[in-house]
């Protein structure tokens, strides 16, 4: 019997990420935990989840192991379609990517994500990050956006410094329409201690699940804006022994992301 | 271009008014950061279009096309099929006031940035139009953080699709292209694109300008001596960059016979007229990966990155300087460099790690 003590935070995120993916969908993945989550989903409840890697592949078979990046040659193994960035982003813009799986440094209550800089101002950033990469385009045009974040007050902020990846903006019903983007927007936010969704009416972030042993109040403590709490709020499922086996021995076998051998930003 | 049309980002943005005014001015006074579409057209028309042997050493190609002040379009994607051999020769030759254009890149940008830090009279980056500059799994790019934090470079931020499709617009010979991203993000306010109301659908639609590098640098697994190139695995945005650039320098792992190209013309991803120089160079993308040929050399990415990160933290350039002295200026050619920096056994291992991805050579 697996207890919470046996599961590290990254395994919790990857497992939860896997749970939220429905079968028979296309997932546009970012590097790291999203790839692991999607691989786990394919091995368990969603065998017909197919991946887009932004360097240009669709529905590859990851038989050489987990790609270390979205441009890794392994991400093209036995794909059904291998082109370049334009091709897969255009499939996405056209409506053929169900989920975006993105990360970032800050997120606000409307699911807007910053991955451009933190502190200072755009022209004089305190810490400049790599930039949008694919995330801005994925959040705009994949149908549903899933963000993976560490649950910390400095990351779950009232206002993000810079909106790199569009969420619901200020929450107004026509924000995304006026932005000219096509996807329906933020869907889930996954952290090691909580799973969030978004309230349909207000488009505000809502706590759906929390780590066993925690409480909605404890989660609120780690968030700088006021959370909505789902009326059906419940504890998160924890991975079984088999899930952990898959994550550790079939997905990230070298522990690049689950053991954070190399720290990614 | 300033259209007066915006999404509701104007009500939400946290970027200061002072910065927004500056960026607005940049939109109003828009200029292409490289050849205009008409200048790029002229460069294409001026080329001789016969099938001529374009083989030459990288050094010669770089001397012919790389000048101070140019827009350098960098091919590949992050650590994949990156044109490191060409870039290495550019660092050795020196080039100042460069504009870089790329979607996502790692060591190519950091090598230029490192040289700029060691000797800004030899290499300098003036500005960058990009989506992403970092190493992915290996970490963020220390020198981008340093240059941006100290306002030493001007940046123009797009998404990976935005930059890719800007090259595509260049490749198509059109001055801009409408996209469904950037709108509603702060990029709408700070980059050089423009929101319009679409005359057909009535939708707010974001426009990004075409990007024509003066010189595109691309590495491919194989091409013929005229420049007809095949690519396997990720095309990245290489075909678009090659066709958008006024001039394209292409390095290749191997040169194949023109009759092989003609046997399967559908496999040609880059057609010869857009290529100006064909430079045969094995391991021309090391420490990057080339599908069907070799995998990443993680060790070197980590090694160089940690040296850069140390500089960022301490301000001490000694190690960086020693690296360039030994591995750039202490080597005559890329082959010498590879022989000095990677053990032969490691190269064999990298070939094995590719896992024999299937490619069609002849």
């Amino acid at each position: 019997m697996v207890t919470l003590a046996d599961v590290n935070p990254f395994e919790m995120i990857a497992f939860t990420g896997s749970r939220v993916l429905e079968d028979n969908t296309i997932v546009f993945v970012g590097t790291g935990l999203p790839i692991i989550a999607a691989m786990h989903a394919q091995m368990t409840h969603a065998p017909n989840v197919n991946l887009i890697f932004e360097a240009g592949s669709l529905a590859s078979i990851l038989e050489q192991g987990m790609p270390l990046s979205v441009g890794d040659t392994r991400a093209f193994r036995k794909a059904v379609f291998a082109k370049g960035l334009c091709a897969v982003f255009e499939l996405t813009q056209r409506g053929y990517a169900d989920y975006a799986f993105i990360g970032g440094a800050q997120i606000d209550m409307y699911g807007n994500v910053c991955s451009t800089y933190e502190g200072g101002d755009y022209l004089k950033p305190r810490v400049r990050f790599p930039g949008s990469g694919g995330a801005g385009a994925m959040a705009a045009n994949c149908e549903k956006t899933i963000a993976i974040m560490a649950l910390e007050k400095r990351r779950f902020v009232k206002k993000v410094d810079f909106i790199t990846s569009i969420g619901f903006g200020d929450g107004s019903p026509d924000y995304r329409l006026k932005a000219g983007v096509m996807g329906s927007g933020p869907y889930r936010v996954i952290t090691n201690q909580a799973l969030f969704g978004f309230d349909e009416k207000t488009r505000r972030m809502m706590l759906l699940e929390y780590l066993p042993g925690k409480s909605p109040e404890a989660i609120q403590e780690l968030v700088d804006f006021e959370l909505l709490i789902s009326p059906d709020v419940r504890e998160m499922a924890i991975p079984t022994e088999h899930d952990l086996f898959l994550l550790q021995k079939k997905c990230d076998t070298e522990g690049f992301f689950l053991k954070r051998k190399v720290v990614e930003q | 271009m300033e259209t007066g049309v915006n999404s509701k980002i104007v009500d939400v943005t946290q970027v200061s008014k002072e910065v927004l005014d500056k960026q607005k001015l940049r939109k109003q006074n828009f200029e292409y950061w490289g050849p205009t579409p008409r200048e790029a057209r002229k460069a294409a028309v001026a080329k001789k279009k016969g099938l001529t042997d374009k083989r030459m050493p990288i050094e010669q190609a770089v001397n012919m096309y790389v000048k101070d002040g140019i827009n350098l379009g960098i091919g590949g994607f992050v650590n994949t099929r990156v044109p490191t051999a060409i870039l290495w020769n550019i660092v050795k030759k020196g080039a100042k006031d460069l504009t870089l254009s790329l979607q996502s890149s790692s060591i190519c940008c950091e090598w230029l940035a490192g040289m700029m830090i060691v000797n800004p009279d030899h290499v300098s980056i003036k500005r960058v139009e990009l989506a992403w500059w970092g190493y992915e799994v290996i970490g963020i790019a220390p020198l981008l953080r340093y240059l941006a934090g100290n306002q030493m470079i001007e940046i123009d931020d797009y998404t990976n699709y935005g930059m890719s499709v800007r090259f595509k617009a260049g490749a198509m010979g059109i001055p801009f292209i409408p996209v469904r991203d950037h709108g509603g993000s702060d990029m709408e306010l700070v980059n050089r694109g423009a929101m319009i109301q679409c005359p057909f659908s009535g939708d707010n639609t974001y426009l990004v300008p075409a990007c024509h590098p003066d010189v595109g640098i691309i590495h491919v697994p194989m091409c013929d001596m005229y420049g007809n190139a095949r690519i396997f695995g990720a095309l990245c945005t290489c075909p678009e960059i090659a066709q958008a650039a006024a001039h394209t320098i292409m390095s290749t792992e191997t040169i194949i016979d023109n009759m092989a190209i003609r046997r399967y013309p559908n496999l040609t991803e880059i057609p010869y007229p857009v290529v100006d120089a064909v430079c045969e160079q094995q391991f021309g993308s090391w420490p990057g990966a080339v599908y069907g040929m070799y995998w990443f050399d993680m060790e070197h990415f980590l090694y160089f990155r940690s040296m850069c990160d140390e500089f960022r933290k301490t301000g001490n350039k000694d190690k960086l300087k020693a690296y360039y002295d030994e591995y750039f200026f202490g080597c005559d050619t890329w082959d010498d460099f590879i022989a000095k920096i990677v053990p032969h056994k490691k190269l064999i291992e990298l070939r094995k790690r590719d896992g024999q991805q299937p490619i069609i050579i002849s």
Side-chain angles (χ1 to χ4, degrees), chain A residues 31 54 69 71 121-122 163 262, chain B residues 16 80 136-137 157 160 186:
Chain A
T31 290
E54 67 183 296
S69 73
D121 209 333
Y122 178 67
I163 299 180
V262 178
Chain B
S16 70
T80 284
E136 284 204 299
V137 61
D157 275 287
N160 268 337
D186 274 303

Side-chain angles (χ1 to χ4, degrees), chain A residues 31 54 64 69 71-72 77 83 90 93 121-122 124 128 130 132-134 137 141 163 174-175 178 262 265, chain B residues 8 16 80 131 133 136-137 140 151 157 160-161 168 180-181 184-186 204 234-236 295 354-355 357:
Chain A
T31 290
E54 67 183 296
Q64 290 174 299
S69 73
D72 193 334
R77 186 73 160 192
K83 302 285 177 194
E90 283 155 13
Q93 195 167 257
D121 209 333
Y122 178 67
K124 199 172 194 284
R128 167 76 203 202
S132 163
N141 293 317
I163 299 180
D174 59 351
Y175 188 88
K178 289 269 161 55
V262 178
Q265 180 61 52
Chain B
K8 289 183 162 185
S16 70
T80 284
W133 171 341
E136 284 204 299
V137 61
I140 67 159
Q151 298 168 281
D157 275 287
N160 268 337
Y161 182 56
K168 185 176 191 169
R180 296 289 200 175
D181 57 355
S185 81
D186 274 303
N204 277 355
L235 304 185
C236 309
W295 204 60
D354 171 68
Q357 303 287 15

Side-chain angles (χ1 to χ4, degrees), chain A residues 61-188:
Chain A
I61 296 174
L62 302 177
E63 63 183 17
Q64 290 174 299
M66 179 192 69
L68 287 191
S69 73
V70 289
D72 193 334
T73 53
R74 295 169 175 180
F76 281 68
R77 186 73 160 192
K78 296 188 178 169
V80 296
F81 177 75
K83 302 285 177 194
L85 283 89
C86 283
V88 288
F89 278 114
E90 283 155 13
L91 266 175
T92 300
Q93 195 167 257
R94 179 66 182 84
Y96 286 102
D98 298 290
Y99 301 106
F101 233 137
I102 67 170
Q106 300 172 333
I107 190 165
D108 66 21
M109 73 164 89
Y110 296 112
N112 304 298
V113 172
C114 172
S115 54
T116 303
Y117 66 90
E118 194 174 80
D121 209 333
Y122 178 67
L123 294 177
K124 199 172 194 284
R126 187 171 57 76
V127 183
R128 167 76 203 202
F129 300 128
S132 163
M138 292 155 69
N141 293 317
C142 291
E143 185 53 22
K144 296 171 176 173
T145 305
I146 303 168
I148 290 184
M149 306 280 302
L151 186 59
E152 299 170 20
K153 228 172 193 163
R154 66 186 184 101
R155 296 182 182 277
F156 283 69
V157 295
K158 290 197 176 79
K159 302 269 186 194
V160 297
D161 288 341
F162 185 94
I163 299 180
T164 312
S165 300
I166 183 175
F168 294 119
D170 56 0
S172 54
D174 59 351
Y175 188 88
R176 291 181 66 91
L177 182 70
K178 289 269 161 55
V181 302
M182 299 301 275
S184 65
Y187 174 62
R188 292 288 183 268

Side-chain angles (χ1 to χ4, degrees), chain B residues 150-314:
Chain B
N150 291 294
Q151 298 168 281
M152 292 166 76
I153 49 170
E154 183 177 355
I155 298 179
D156 194 20
D157 275 287
Y158 299 84
T159 67
N160 268 337
Y161 182 56
M163 275 313 297
S164 296
V165 84
R166 290 188 59 205
F167 291 123
K168 185 176 191 169
M172 290 166 77
I174 57 175
F176 66 85
I177 194 161
V179 293
R180 296 289 200 175
D181 57 355
H182 304 88
S185 81
D186 274 303
M187 284 182 280
E188 177 188 330
L189 301 178
V190 303
N191 74 18
R192 295 183 303 134
M195 186 68 95
I196 60 153
Q197 189 181 14
C198 167
F200 303 105
S201 65
D203 280 1
N204 277 355
T205 305
Y206 204 62
L207 308 180
V208 290
C211 181
H212 291 283
D214 288 282
V215 179
I217 57 173
I218 305 289
H219 184 72
V220 298
M222 67 200 76
C223 66
D224 66 12
M225 64 180 177
Y226 311 123
N228 295 298
R230 288 180 187 168
I231 299 172
F232 295 94
L235 304 185
C236 309
T237 314
C238 290
E240 291 90 346
I241 293 173
Q243 189 159 316
H247 295 286
T248 294
I249 303 173
M250 193 159 76
S251 55
T252 179
E253 290 292 322
T254 184
I255 304 243
I256 59 172
D257 194 86
N258 175 251
M259 286 316 291
I261 292 287
R262 290 180 185 278
R263 192 173 303 126
Y264 301 113
N266 288 120
L267 294 182
T268 303
E269 299 289 354
I270 298 174
Y272 77 92
V274 310
V275 177
D276 295 86
V278 171
C279 313
E280 187 171 7
Q281 184 60 69
Q282 279 202 26
F283 287 105
S285 190
W286 180 90
V290 177
Y291 184 95
M293 302 272 177
Y294 47 90
W295 204 60
F296 312 98
D297 190 342
M298 298 296 267
E299 214 178 325
H300 192 77
F301 283 117
L302 283 166
Y303 172 73
F304 182 65
R305 186 193 173 276
S306 65
M307 197 181 315
C308 295
D309 207 31
E310 194 181 315
F311 159 74
R312 184 182 69 76
K313 286 174 183 154
T314 64

Side-chain angles (χ1 to χ4, degrees), chain A residues 45-59:
Chain A
H45 66 96
N48 212 348
V49 153
N50 292 295
L51 307 190
I52 287 178
F53 288 94
E54 67 183 296
S57 74
L58 172 64

